Amino acid sequence: MCDIADIRMQVMWNRLISVVEEQALTLLRTAFSTSVRESGDLSAGVFDPRGRMLAQAVTGTPGHVNTMAEAVAHFMAAIPREEMFEGDTYVTNDPWLGTGHLHDITMVSPSFLNGELVAFFACTAHVVDVGGRGFGADAKSVYEEGIQIPIMKFAERGKVNLDLVRLLRANVREPNQVVGDFYSLAACNDVGHRRLVEMMRETGLDTLESLGTFIFSRTHDAMVERLGGLPKGSWSNELVTDGYDAPIKLAAKVSVRENEVEVDFTGTDPMSRWGINTPIIYTKAYACYALKCATAPDIPNNAASLAFYTVTSPVNILNAVRPAPVALRHIFGHMVPDLVLGALAKAMPGKILSEGAGALWNIHISARPANGGEGRRAEVLMFNSGGMGARPGIDGPSATAFPSGVHTMPVEATEHTGPIVVWRKELRPGSGGDGEFRGGLGQIIEIAPMEGHEFDFSAMFDRINHAPRGRDGGESGAAGIVKLDDGTLMRPKGWQHVPAGRRLIMELPGGGGFGDPAKRAPEARAADRSKGYVSENDK
């Protein structure tokens, strides 16, 4: 039985989670970029004075949350304690110290109570532009990909570094949106700080030490119990992806030991000369997420639970080193869970979902008037999701962002940001892999420039030449297709052009099926037909 002290600690733990949730919602409500405001491409969390994550907001993505968990230590190493003051906010977009590419901004703020450092608040968000070549795979080094901000102070003692603001405005295509997002990030941490101080004063806490001990000890004990029930040994898996101009092999070995699960990416292909490389901090984030989903999904995600997972890799495309181009680090980062889960499926047969679309089908559109005419210019970013793999006992969700967890942007919000028209956005019939449980459907999206306009777009797609695989006898999902409305096929990655009068059609991949198709219930097949989830040839 719990004593009254434990109950009090549990209540304060819940309060702490509500603090970081309000922190995240502040960013959602004040952000300028649609990727943050509409899609939730962000993270927020609170850390103890040693830089250990106490709690994270539910709102946000695993790639941001788990990189943020490591990034705070980098900030503490760069800024000595004696140079930290009340009202400070620190910032970076360093891919190797933050979240893996320049478009993500990470901010960390110290939180003081009665003059003593009691916590850090951290948050991240994806901004619409950082200059350079734009959001795409075509750069040959990180120096071409945009402005780089080393760990530095965005504000000191509450006073904003206006020199940094001027540098941002001079280097990005959408200065008002980007600078606005910087202030939103800073406000997000400030709200977290104020709510934490209110909580501590209300509950009589001078520090978070006792609460942190409670959180970490309970989490540690739960993890030891959970991992103790797993089979011990090592299992390997490989996954082939489209790459930029040649297929890329990803390889992983998962080893389960007493009180530790290790993932090793030895055997993965070398770094690419294109901007599809992934820094290890981002690879770790999604490897740990996959492990957590499979082994301890109900145990809180904090420093104590993450400590049980170890990720190693030689230098390769999943452990890219500076100055590799890394703008599209999310593509292979989002493939890491399918890779890791494929290995775990051998250790936990019948319990792991099938492969899905994996990587978001992001598209960055640079729209302008055609032939030098009059009109609008705009940078438009869309996040789009294919189908998830089928799960043991249930069909896969359709058009769902797994593993990233971001929301799909509403068409109305997307069209509002620039001169484009989304003519079609619907589920893609027949794209889910057959099986006892069907894979989730992809979607079909049709986009055109407004009359008198044209656009270039950065393709960030995968699973076009290598479809998501089924599991335990389930069939593969449908591979993706990118083309113009006249039938011209487009490349899966790189900047390309859509002229005035043409439409871009994206057919997103579907998830793989799970189990023998012959075992699918007749009523499930009838429901698929009635809902239009299967193609005419399958009826």
Side-chain angles (χ1 to χ4, degrees):
M1 294 179 61
C2 292
D3 60 24
I4 192 67
D6 286 347
I7 293 173
R8 181 171 181 269
M9 285 294 179
Q10 185 64 55
V11 170
M12 287 192 289
W13 189 355
N14 292 338
R15 282 283 300 274
L16 199 60
I17 293 171
S18 71
V19 166
V20 292
E21 270 301 299
E22 185 170 354
Q23 178 195 1
L25 290 174
T26 299
L27 185 53
L28 277 176
R29 292 171 180 145
T30 61
F32 283 57
S33 295
T34 54
S35 58
V36 182
R37 189 177 66 247
E38 303 291 345
S39 295
D41 193 14
L42 58 92
S43 69
V46 61
F47 298 71
D48 72 6
R50 293 167 59 184
R52 299 176 299 178
M53 186 167 70
L54 292 164
Q56 61 151 100
V58 176
T59 304
T61 75
H64 281 163
V65 169
N66 287 347
T67 52
M68 179 183 70
E70 184 173 336
V72 171
H74 296 307
F75 280 84
M76 295 176 66
I79 301 176
R81 170 63 186 86
E82 59 270 19
E83 296 179 16
M84 294 180 180
F85 310 109
E86 294 188 46
D88 278 7
T89 297
Y90 317 127
V91 65
T92 192
N93 69 341
D94 186 308
W96 289 270
L97 302 179
T99 69
H101 70 173
L102 296 176
H103 277 78
D104 285 341
I105 308 301
T106 301
M107 284 198 180
V108 174
S109 304
S111 184
F112 290 86
L113 176 64
N114 301 325
E116 295 296 325
L117 178 67
V118 293
F120 289 97
F121 282 91
C123 58
T124 65
H126 182 109
V127 298
V128 69
D129 185 62
V130 289
R133 284 180 173 264
F135 192 17
D138 296 307
K140 300 301 191 299
S141 77
V142 70
Y143 301 111
E144 298 178 40
E145 292 183 326
I147 186 171
Q148 297 187 58
I149 305 168
I151 292 177
M152 62 187 300
K153 293 191 177 185
F154 176 70
E156 183 174 87
R157 303 181 194 268
K159 184 177 180 181
V160 171
N161 182 348
L162 296 180
D163 288 335
L164 174 58
V165 172
R166 282 190 285 268
L167 281 171
L168 288 171
R169 287 192 172 277
N171 279 276
V172 302
R173 298 170 180 84
E174 297 282 354
N176 290 337
Q177 283 193 56
V178 173
V179 172
D181 282 338
F182 270 63
Y183 280 97
S184 295
L185 285 157
C188 159
N189 282 352
D190 186 56
V191 166
H193 159 70
R194 286 190 276 116
R195 293 294 179 267
L196 176 67
V197 168
E198 289 172 7
M199 183 195 94
M200 293 180 70
R201 285 177 173 158
E202 179 185 330
T203 56
L205 289 178
D206 293 323
T207 74
L208 294 178
E209 184 175 352
S210 59
L211 180 56
T213 298
F214 180 85
I215 291 172
F216 293 147
S217 64
R218 294 305 189 276
T219 302
H220 177 274
D221 292 347
M223 288 293 295
V224 168
E225 179 182 355
R226 188 63 53 83
L227 297 186
L230 295 178
K232 305 302 185 287
S234 297
W235 300 269
S236 298
N237 186 40
E238 293 185 354
L239 191 156
V240 179
T241 66
D242 295 351
Y244 186 103
D245 48 11
I248 298 289
K249 183 187 75 173
L250 308 179
K253 182 173 74 172
V254 177
S255 300
V256 181
R257 309 184 183 95
E258 288 295 331
N259 298 336
E260 181 190 31
V261 183
E262 180 186 15
V263 182
D264 180 22
F265 292 105
T266 298
T268 292
D269 279 350
M271 291 191 298
S272 172
R273 66 191 183 102
W274 304 101
I276 55 176
N277 299 288
T278 307
I280 192 66
I281 192 170
Y282 195 76
T283 300
K284 285 181 181 179
Y286 273 106
C288 291
Y289 175 65
L291 295 173
K292 192 88 167 38
C293 286
T295 63
D298 54 339
I299 295 176
N301 192 56
N302 55 45
S305 55
L306 291 173
F308 284 84
Y309 303 128
T310 302
V311 178
T312 60
S313 178
V315 174
N316 55 35
I317 203 166
L318 292 179
N319 180 17
V321 296
R322 188 182 294 275
V326 292
L328 302 194
R329 58 77 169 105
H330 67 277
I331 292 180
F332 294 139
H334 290 175
M335 296 292 183
V336 163
D338 271 348
L339 176 65
V340 171
L341 291 171
L344 280 175
K346 300 172 184 178
M348 305 166 65
K351 296 182 179 180
I352 303 296
L353 80 167
S354 303
E355 293 181 1
L360 288 170
W361 272 42
N362 293 349
I363 178 172
H364 187 109
I365 294 171
S366 184
R368 59 181 179 271
N371 303 317
E374 295 185 357
R376 292 177 62 193
R377 290 179 174 269
E379 304 298 315
V380 182
L381 177 61
M382 293 178 67
F383 293 166
N384 304 296
S385 306
M388 274 184 66
R391 298 157 290 176
I394 190 170
D395 292 343
S398 299
T400 299
F402 178 83
S404 76
V406 301
H407 308 295
T408 295
M409 298 175 189
V411 167
E412 296 81 0
T414 300
E415 291 180 332
H416 179 73
T417 60
I420 64 169
V421 177
V422 181
W423 286 100
R424 182 163 54 138
K425 195 173 191 295
E426 60 189 34
L427 292 179
R428 182 185 176 192
S431 56
D434 199 5
E436 182 179 2
F437 303 101
R438 174 185 42 75
L441 275 61
Q443 56 180 316
I444 302 174
I445 304 170
E446 192 169 325
I447 311 170
M450 288 182 63
E451 185 176 353
H453 290 76
E454 60 186 359
F455 65 71
D456 293 329
F457 74 97
S458 174
M460 312 180 203
F461 316 135
D462 213 285
R463 301 286 203 188
I464 287 177
N465 299 314
H466 299 84
R469 296 174 294 189
R471 202 176 307 284
D472 289 4
E475 296 181 1
S476 296
I481 301 171
V482 188
K483 60 186 178 181
L484 297 182
D485 57 350
D486 63 0
T488 302
L489 291 177
M490 310 300 279
R491 293 180 287 114
K493 296 177 182 70
W495 281 93
Q496 295 159 84
H497 182 65
V498 176
R502 291 262 69 92
R503 297 183 183 183
L504 177 66
I505 300 173
M506 302 184 295
E507 299 184 12
L508 277 64
F514 188 97
D516 185 355
K519 295 181 180 179
R520 186 160 179 79
E523 56 269 27
R525 293 203 179 279
D528 286 343
R529 290 193 294 271
S530 69
K531 295 175 182 178
Y533 286 175
V534 294
S535 62
E536 291 294 328
N537 295 333
D538 297 326
K539 293 184 178 180

